[in-house]
Amino acid sequence: AAAPPPSPATAEKPPAPSRVQSPTPLDKHAEKIRRGVRRIGVSQTITVIFADEDDLHGTVTNVGDDSFDLAEVDQRRIITIPYAHVKKVRSGYTPPKLFTGERNSPPKGVRIAAFAALIATLALPLIALSRID
């Protein structure tokens, strides 16, 4: 009085192999760009510089595994940018120039040097005048 073997229709089937593919690994430079974009964060302003020295300015709207979305301020549209196409990213951007409408984002070191030169230019005459008395 043994139980009959299960029929093929009622036998448990092994689970089907997963068709979800893991994202392709990024090279070291693209991984560095992804970390930079994540550090800046969603809803923050960013300057994206490409290898051909062209740049885009806008707000990060989404950070994915292979790319990120940028709400470009001048073109007024969302652009998906693959990390592999980016040379570097910078937090923030400058307002456009009044007459040309050109937008640029000088490196932080250049801004610091310009500020230091301005302070030195203003401070030297004051120091010289204070020693005359």
Side-chain angles (χ1 to χ4, degrees):
S7 68
T10 60
E12 289 187 33
K13 296 179 183 176
S18 175
R19 298 199 183 250
V20 176
Q21 297 177 354
S22 61
T24 57
L26 298 173
D27 65 357
K28 286 182 180 182
H29 180 72
E31 180 62 36
K32 178 181 173 184
I33 298 299
R34 178 170 60 182
R35 282 192 312 268
V37 172
R38 285 186 175 166
R39 179 183 47 81
I40 292 169
V42 175
S43 299
Q44 300 300 313
T45 58
I46 189 171
T47 297
V48 180
I49 302 169
F50 296 96
D52 63 357
E53 297 300 322
D54 192 20
D55 55 0
L56 294 176
H57 309 274
T59 303
V60 178
T61 59
N62 182 34
V63 179
D65 290 330
D66 297 328
S67 62
F68 65 99
D69 293 338
L70 176 76
E72 218 288 333
V73 69
D74 296 324
Q75 298 176 19
R76 297 179 184 210
R77 63 186 180 112
I78 303 290
I79 301 171
T80 299
I81 303 171
Y83 299 118
H85 294 175
V86 178
K87 180 178 178 183
K88 65 179 149 179
V89 293
R90 256 190 237 123
S91 178
Y93 57 83
T94 59
K97 293 180 182 172
L98 183 61
F99 296 109
T100 64
E102 180 181 290
R103 192 180 296 275
N104 74 4
S105 180
K108 196 176 284 187
V110 172
R111 289 183 284 185
I112 291 171
F115 182 72
L118 176 67
I119 295 298
T121 303
L122 296 175
L124 287 176
L126 293 175
I127 292 170
L129 288 174
S130 67
R131 294 188 183 235
I132 293 174
D133 293 338

